[in-house]
Amino acid sequence: MEKPIKILIVEDNVIIADDMQSMLEEIGYEIVGNVIVYEQAEEVLRTTEVDLVLIDIILASDKTGIDLGKHIRANYNIPFIFVTSNSDRATVEKAKVVKPNGYLVKPFEQQDLYTSIEIALSNFNYLDKQGLTEDDVDKPMSNSVLKDSIFVKKQHLYYRINFTDIQFIKADNVYLEVNTVDKKFLVRSPLKDYLEKLPRDKFYRAHKSYIVNVDHIGAVNSKDVMINDKLIPISKEFKEFIISSMNS
């Protein structure tokens, strides 16, 4: 099942923080924390599943949002966006050092906030799945959030989908139809490229137009496999692979 993106807000102006929370909840994100100082943010990150953090650079604590960014980079593999009133050169240069996944200057509209989050999640997910960092030098840190799932866009939001819930993926012109246990999502991607983002021990190219999750195969014959009462055509090579796996 799809899960809403879980966001932590770190902002010491409670009026702005509450306004941000209302904006985000209105478009379907889940706010797992709305805190004003570094120490509170550290506690939420330690005890709660978080997908993305929105951080004001100036906080009501000795440690700044930049310090929090450093803490996230060192300990978590999640994206964060600086949300600040400061766009001067010195502040931007300090912020760049910790490689934020976005930089949003106040005041902003709901659409600005949404766009920044969507781009940050999309780029972060792509880099992580390719085994890259933003500078393409360091190896990625251990992935505690995305190791068992992938972001899939539906309408105006990215949802995190567990790999175990994906049953099969069908190519349809320039789009892919990602079929989960109870939902369908359209993704713009070549089938071959999408396969590379999925666990290699579970997902296989069963046909030129299909990827299947072998854990969801309920039956097989000489030409098809059945997943959730749907017959999916298979290639000769995949048929031989399935038969070999059944007999091993």
Side-chain angles (χ1 to χ4, degrees), residues 66 70 82 89-100:
I66 292 175
K70 291 178 182 176
F82 284 136
R89 187 184 204 86
T91 302
V92 171
E93 288 301 316
K94 288 179 181 177
K96 282 168 59 179
V97 173
V98 294
K99 301 186 185 304

Side-chain angles (χ1 to χ4, degrees), residues 32-178:
V32 296
N34 190 337
V35 301
I36 64 173
V37 295
Y38 175 100
E39 292 75 16
Q40 291 174 321
E42 187 180 38
E43 175 69 11
V44 174
L45 286 165
R46 189 175 60 81
T47 60
T48 308
E49 184 179 4
V50 178
D51 295 321
L52 180 140
V53 190
L54 296 169
I55 309 172
D56 187 9
I57 289 180
I58 307 302
L59 299 174
S61 54
D62 291 337
K63 291 190 175 182
T64 68
I66 292 175
D67 292 321
L68 181 58
K70 291 178 182 176
H71 176 73
I72 292 171
R73 280 283 170 264
N75 296 281
Y76 302 94
N77 196 26
I78 57 175
F80 63 88
I81 296 170
F82 284 136
V83 183
T84 180
S85 302
N86 302 295
S87 57
D88 61 278
R89 187 184 204 86
T91 302
V92 171
E93 288 301 316
K94 288 179 181 177
K96 282 168 59 179
V97 173
V98 294
K99 301 186 185 304
N101 302 92
Y103 195 99
L104 189 58
V105 179
K106 305 170 190 173
F108 49 81
E109 302 294 330
Q110 184 182 52
Q111 184 64 31
D112 301 322
L113 188 56
Y114 158 69
T115 302
S116 295
I117 291 171
E118 178 172 309
I119 290 172
L121 288 171
S122 179
N123 289 344
F124 180 84
N125 189 52
Y126 172 78
L127 289 168
D128 186 78
K129 293 304 174 186
Q130 298 302 314
L132 304 173
T133 60
E134 289 180 334
D135 56 10
D136 197 16
V137 174
D138 299 323
K139 292 183 179 180
M141 293 172 282
S142 174
N143 191 340
S144 61
V145 175
L146 301 177
K147 65 181 181 181
D148 60 354
S149 53
I150 191 169
F151 286 120
V152 178
K153 187 177 182 183
K154 186 171 184 179
Q155 295 177 334
H156 62 289
L157 288 176
Y158 278 89
Y159 290 90
R160 196 175 76 241
I161 310 298
N162 288 337
F163 290 132
T164 55
D165 287 338
I166 299 175
Q167 297 183 326
F168 64 92
I169 299 165
K170 177 184 177 182
D172 184 8
N173 294 319
V174 297
Y175 290 95
L176 301 180
E177 183 185 279
V178 180

Side-chain angles (χ1 to χ4, degrees), residues 206-217:
H207 180 271
K208 64 180 181 180
S209 299
Y210 285 91
I211 294 169
V212 300
N213 182 342
V214 293
D215 285 347
H216 285 279
I217 295 176

Side-chain angles (χ1 to χ4, degrees), residues 11-25:
E11 165 64 67
D12 66 352
N13 184 315
V14 293
I15 296 175
I16 293 175
D18 288 346
D19 192 34
M20 288 171 60
Q21 179 164 347
S22 297
M23 288 183 188
L24 294 168
E25 290 177 339

